[in-house]
Amino acid sequence: MIRVWLNDKQLQVAAGTTVANLLAGEGLLTPIATVAVNDRLLPRREWGDSLQDGDRVEVIIMMAGG
């Protein structure tokens, strides 16, 4: 198990968990999500990369409004 933060909430996840797995498990895997890991915007093509112990993941869901 490794420790990661998702939007400032600490989680324990299995070693080898990818960004996409984390988002899916938390109900945040949507086409309108923007993700940063350790303050770096992460292109969608890198969402298959494994998270490391201590990573900080921030997810922003874009919404239209008016």
Side-chain angles (χ1 to χ4, degrees):
M1 297 297 278
I2 62 171
R3 181 183 55 189
V4 298
W5 281 262
L6 175 61
N7 292 346
D8 295 322
K9 177 176 124 182
Q10 185 177 330
L11 302 171
Q12 296 284 332
V13 298
T17 296
T18 66
V19 173
N21 294 145
L22 178 67
L23 298 181
E26 295 296 313
L28 298 171
L29 188 59
T30 71
I32 56 175
T34 299
V35 176
V37 176
N38 301 323
D39 296 322
R40 183 178 84 78
L41 286 176
L42 199 66
R44 239 173 236 280
R45 68 180 175 273
E46 294 179 25
W47 287 17
D49 293 353
S50 294
L51 292 164
Q52 304 299 312
D53 189 48
D55 278 348
R56 293 187 176 274
V57 180
E58 296 291 331
V59 179
I60 299 168
I61 305 294
M62 305 304 251
M63 295 184 175

